[in-house]
Amino acid sequence: MAEQDMPRKAVITQVAGDQGVSKIDAERIVRTVLEAVASELAKRGRFHIAEIGSVSVATRPPRRYFNPRTLSEDVSHGDTALKINISKQMRERLGNGD
């Protein structure tokens, strides 16, 4: 994990500088890309970029748990989470190409 996450504004600034566009245009580009990823995840449950990897929606099954406050056992409703699989190219770039 990186020492510090890259904030959205830093991504916008980098896109603007690399592509020679204004920060307003770069923000539109970044927003459009993120909305496309979210839309694809909602529609298909999976999104893949060859150089980075894939992101998919994983559904976790319901499980039993103990509530210490009420001293009762209950069952959760299950959960959804994002599952990230890093591509071979990205692993090599990160230096973890085992």
Side-chain angles (χ1 to χ4, degrees):
M1 192 67 158
E3 289 181 21
Q4 185 176 359
D5 293 339
M6 186 173 192
R8 186 179 180 135
K9 286 186 179 184
V11 173
I12 291 168
T13 301
Q14 184 172 351
V15 169
D18 291 351
Q19 299 303 314
V21 297
S22 70
K23 285 186 181 181
I24 293 172
D25 290 339
E27 183 177 5
R28 287 186 192 130
I29 293 166
V30 170
R31 188 181 316 124
T32 301
V33 169
L34 293 175
E35 286 175 3
V37 170
S39 173
E40 194 68 17
L41 282 171
K43 185 169 52 173
R44 292 186 48 226
R46 187 169 194 273
F47 185 82
H48 179 77
I49 299 175
E51 296 82 14
I52 296 174
S54 64
V55 178
S56 57
V57 177
T59 304
R60 295 181 180 154
R63 63 181 184 88
R64 294 186 319 163
Y65 66 91
F66 180 75
N67 185 338
R69 191 172 284 174
T70 62
L71 301 176
S72 66
E73 191 171 294
D74 206 355
V75 178
S76 71
H77 296 290
D79 198 8
T80 56
L82 292 179
K83 181 178 177 183
I84 301 171
N85 293 321
I86 299 173
S87 72
K88 192 174 187 180
Q89 291 174 350
M90 183 56 76
R91 265 191 236 116
E92 290 171 359
R93 189 172 183 176
L94 295 173
N96 300 331
D98 304 304

